[in-house]
């Protein structure tokens, strides 16, 4: 479903995905990347090869500290750039 709406994005979009997420195959993430790139909006998709679903939640088994730290840093930079006008 996201692939269908991604070309219609009307705001910058950051997507953070774990390659080990069984519910979102890497092929789907790459299709989403291509679709979002046609939106005319700034988009960035980051894949974490050693992370699964919920890799940022520190109370889950799937927590991956290195990926979570990088994702958080990217999120804050994204907010600064696109929400605060940094």
């Amino acid at each position: 479903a996201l692939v269908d709406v991604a070309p219609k994005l009307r705001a910058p979009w950051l997507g953070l995905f774990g390659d080990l997420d069984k519910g979102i195959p890497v092929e789907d993430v790459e299709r989403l990347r291509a679709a979002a790139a046609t939106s005319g909006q700034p988009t960035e998709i980051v894949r974490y090869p050693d992370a699964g679903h919920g890799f940022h939640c520190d109370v889950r088994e799937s927590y991956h500290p290195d990926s979570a730290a990088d994702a958080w840093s990217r999120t804050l930079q994204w907010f600064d750039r696109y929400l605060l006008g940094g």
Side-chain angles (χ1 to χ4, degrees):
L2 286 179
V3 171
D4 296 335
V5 297
K8 300 173 191 167
L9 287 170
R10 296 183 355 193
W13 182 68
L14 172 66
L16 306 166
F17 296 90
D19 282 357
L20 303 179
D21 187 332
K22 293 180 176 121
I24 308 171
V26 169
E27 297 79 22
D28 289 355
V29 173
E30 291 305 317
R31 286 181 42 231
L32 181 57
R33 181 192 309 274
T38 69
S39 71
Q41 294 296 322
T43 61
E44 182 178 355
I45 290 185
V46 180
R47 291 181 24 218
Y48 296 96
D50 299 322
H53 184 79
F55 69 87
H56 199 272
C57 181
D58 63 1
V59 296
R60 297 177 83 157
E61 266 187 53
S62 58
Y63 178 59
H64 193 264
D66 292 341
S67 300
D70 183 76
W72 187 240
S73 175
R74 288 175 187 268
T75 299
L76 294 177
Q77 290 171 21
W78 191 266
F79 286 168
D80 185 45
R81 186 176 317 129
Y82 294 109
L83 293 180
L84 299 176

